[in-house]
Amino acid sequence: MAQVEKRGGLLRKSSASKKPLKEKVVLMYDEIFMTEDPSKCSPRFWEELFLMKVNLEYLEGKLESLDGEELMKIKDNINCLFQHCIKALGEEHPIRVVNALQTLCALIRGVHQKNKSSSGFDIINMLMGFDKAELCMKNLMESLDSLLCAEGSESLKSLCLKLLLCLVTVTDNISQNTILEYVMINSIFEAILQILSHPPSRREHGYDAVVLLALLVNYRKYESVNPYIVKLSIVDDEATLNGMGLVIAQALSEYNRQYKDKEEEHQSGFFSALTNMVGSMFIADAHEKISVQTNEAILLALYEAVHLNRNFITVLAQSHPEMGLVTTPVSPAPTTPATPLGTTPPSSDVISSVELPLDADVQTSNLLITFLKYSSIVMQDTKDEHRLHSGKLCLIILTCIAEDQYANAFLHDDNMNFRVNLHRMPMRHRKKAADKNLPCRPLVCAVLDLMVEFIVTHMMKEFPMDLYVRCIQVVHKLLCYQKKCRVRLHYTWRELWSALINLLKFLMSNETVLLAKHNIFTLALMIVNLFNMFITYGDTFLPTPSSYDELYYEIIRMHQSFDNLYSMVLRLSTNAGQWKEAASKVTHALVNIRAIINHFNPKIESYAAVNHISQLSEEQVLEVVRANYDTLTLKLQDGLDQYERYSEQHKEAAFFKELVRSISTNVRRNLAFHTLSQEVLLKEFSTIS
């Protein structure tokens, strides 16, 4: 018997010369694409259509193949199909509902694809007609809300979320998607919260729900009152906020785990053997090849939660077992294509990892630790545009955290100590730190470590000025809290001081190249003022008097760098060039650092001469410093412990518009409607009582 093949909606016998036969659903689609009403000749047309397995490819392809004029001729039939899809969502038969959901996805995508250059109003008219649009969308959103909140099929809920994601991301710029006005009026916010607060639903659909919410929050957020922003900002239900935090933590954990696996694979492979032979000269190049796609969608969700909802700050510190434990899934999970921005959710076994029996060696973690580890990976390589955006968003999130009083309280809490294993970029001049030697410290130490790591590893030709400014701002805000609350943090401050001085040296040695692109004096002023903060208020927050002595020792030891900086800014501030004002601010800010150098250097030289010592030890220099504090005169500088609070709308609107456009494009590109085969659905629905 001849084999029957099926391609693009056609059925044919492979050995026969007869015309190909079309499957019934394709014939029905063809009737819809005629100008006549298909139900005239066949009264049961619409009932039968939703019992047929949807052919997404054919339906979308057919819509795309028509030109604008042809499409307008069949507008009434498309309106009719759209309305019957919505009507079918209320049917008891789940197969009808599934087919209606998939048909709606194909319709929305197909019509939008055709009308990319047209306005949203044309698309609304094409899909449902202006006169019926409001009622259609009201019924659609109510049906989706009911399906998401019902205790029914998880597959149906999954398709509902996919349809909503399709609706939201169908245009690159979601704020130009006028259909979303109806999604604002007929809110599904509570349905999303219900998914996040209910563990079984969260495990199945939490990822899609969180990404959907993050996108909806960004619809015309600067132009009008967005109800999703208002509602998200006042959520105070602990289970819901924790559920959202868990989804974000698990997605970031999955990224961290994938990166670690790649790193281990890389180290044990051929390249590792090669670098062992020739030394570490290629280590940086080798590291660049370790690449796991960043997850900007989930990072945006974390940002919106931290930025909009004060109650979410508590979730950052909520302890849970270290994630990334992967077990064999109980049932095979549908697969989705890999995505450039990590828009595919982690597998269901990772989502449920928090309920798994834990290994005795696995330490307690929390969302903040997971986020810091994620940040330490994506901030390593900022040459790639997506990683640059991710790195910037990580620093914006850290800025919001560093400004929050409650977040600072748990960051600096001596009773909340963690061992945070941040990823460090391999560099020729330093050895890889052993993970087991990491001490348990307050979480703020890990944040400072991350900032120091960034400062040390990004002094390069393509200088990421914006990221450096944000990095220094995070450090400054943490110091302001420590000064205000007199928190004496036991931290290796010398590493920070050394990193800041090396950054100043880099700015000076690359003055000409950098000034062609950046105002380096803004950054130089911020660095100098960090030192001024330590000089002026260090006695209130440095852990011991000897720490304050060490600060002076570092300034005196590196006096040549500060002298060179002073010479540079003095030269530029006395010229009538474009940098005159910016450079003169740095000149004034250096007054106390220069006073320290000019006060102590002669005394150190005198001590060396009297004692016939050519080179003084650190302890001898410190002895001179301690003996001569009394005669040192410093100027009181105002505003060192003040800062401008973060404001998205005024400073970051352009960045977020571009970021959301990028996320929207990738979510749309990777939406998988084929993950549920008809066989799987039939099997599931046959067991529903």
Side-chain angles (χ1 to χ4, degrees), residues 281-294:
M281 67 165 81
F282 301 120
I283 199 159
D285 300 327
H287 184 74
E288 281 173 16
K289 294 183 181 180
I290 303 171
S291 177
V292 179
Q293 299 298 353
T294 51

Side-chain angles (χ1 to χ4, degrees), residues 93-240:
H93 200 309
I95 288 293
R96 286 184 191 273
V97 179
V98 167
N99 289 332
L101 287 167
Q102 291 185 318
T103 305
L104 281 167
C105 291
L107 263 180
I108 292 163
R109 292 207 302 197
V111 171
H112 263 280
Q113 192 68 22
K114 194 73 229 160
N115 288 274
K116 265 188 174 175
S117 57
S118 306
S119 69
F121 291 104
D122 290 333
I123 288 157
I124 291 169
N125 190 33
M126 182 57 64
L127 285 171
M128 44 200 139
F130 289 132
D131 53 335
K132 293 174 183 164
E134 201 169 319
L135 183 61
C136 267
M137 287 304 296
K138 180 176 181 289
N139 293 339
L140 173 61
M141 296 308 293
E142 283 177 359
S143 295
L144 293 175
D145 188 73
S146 300
L147 289 166
L148 288 171
C149 294
E151 289 185 11
S153 157
E154 296 303 331
S155 296
L156 279 181
K157 288 183 184 179
S158 177
L159 270 177
C160 287
L161 287 167
K162 295 258 192 287
L163 172 60
L164 285 162
L165 283 169
C166 172
L167 199 64
V168 173
T169 63
V170 83
T171 55
D172 289 349
N173 181 349
I174 64 169
S175 294
Q176 289 176 352
N177 183 358
T178 326
I179 294 179
L180 291 190
E181 283 298 329
Y182 301 109
V183 183
M184 296 294 121
I185 297 163
N186 305 286
S187 174
I188 44 139
F189 184 80
E190 284 70 23
I192 293 172
L193 293 199
Q194 187 173 312
I195 288 168
L196 295 175
S197 62
H198 190 230
S201 289
R202 185 181 70 238
R203 282 194 290 271
E204 290 286 334
H205 317 295
Y207 187 91
D208 280 350
V210 162
V211 172
L212 175 64
L213 181 58
L215 289 167
L216 287 171
V217 160
N218 279 278
Y219 174 71
R220 303 192 69 187
K221 62 168 15 174
Y222 309 118
E223 295 105 60
S224 59
V225 177
N226 180 322
Y228 290 85
I229 292 178
V230 177
K231 289 178 179 181
L232 179 58
S233 66
I234 56 173
V235 174
D236 58 2
D237 178 64
E238 199 177 334
T240 304

Side-chain angles (χ1 to χ4, degrees), residues 373-392:
K373 287 182 180 180
Y374 177 89
S375 301
S376 71
I377 297 169
V378 298
M379 283 163 62
Q380 285 180 28
D381 178 18
T382 54
K383 291 172 190 168
D384 170 71
E385 189 186 0
H386 292 314
R387 281 173 178 268
L388 182 67
H389 283 167
S390 272
K392 181 171 178 175

Side-chain angles (χ1 to χ4, degrees), residues 408-427:
N408 267 306
F410 73 70
L411 281 175
H412 292 84
D413 190 341
D414 263 335
N415 299 313
M416 286 178 65
N417 291 325
F418 292 90
R419 188 176 284 114
V420 183
N421 180 22
L422 298 175
H423 289 265
R424 285 159 61 87
M425 190 185 286
M427 296 178 81

Side-chain angles (χ1 to χ4, degrees), residues 519 521-522 525 569-589:
N519 176 2
F521 303 108
T522 305
L525 180 64
V569 293
L570 190 64
R571 168 170 49 86
L572 287 159
S573 62
T574 50
N575 294 339
Q578 68 176 113
W579 306 116
K580 182 181 171 77
E581 191 182 339
S584 63
K585 285 180 182 176
V586 183
T587 312
H588 297 312

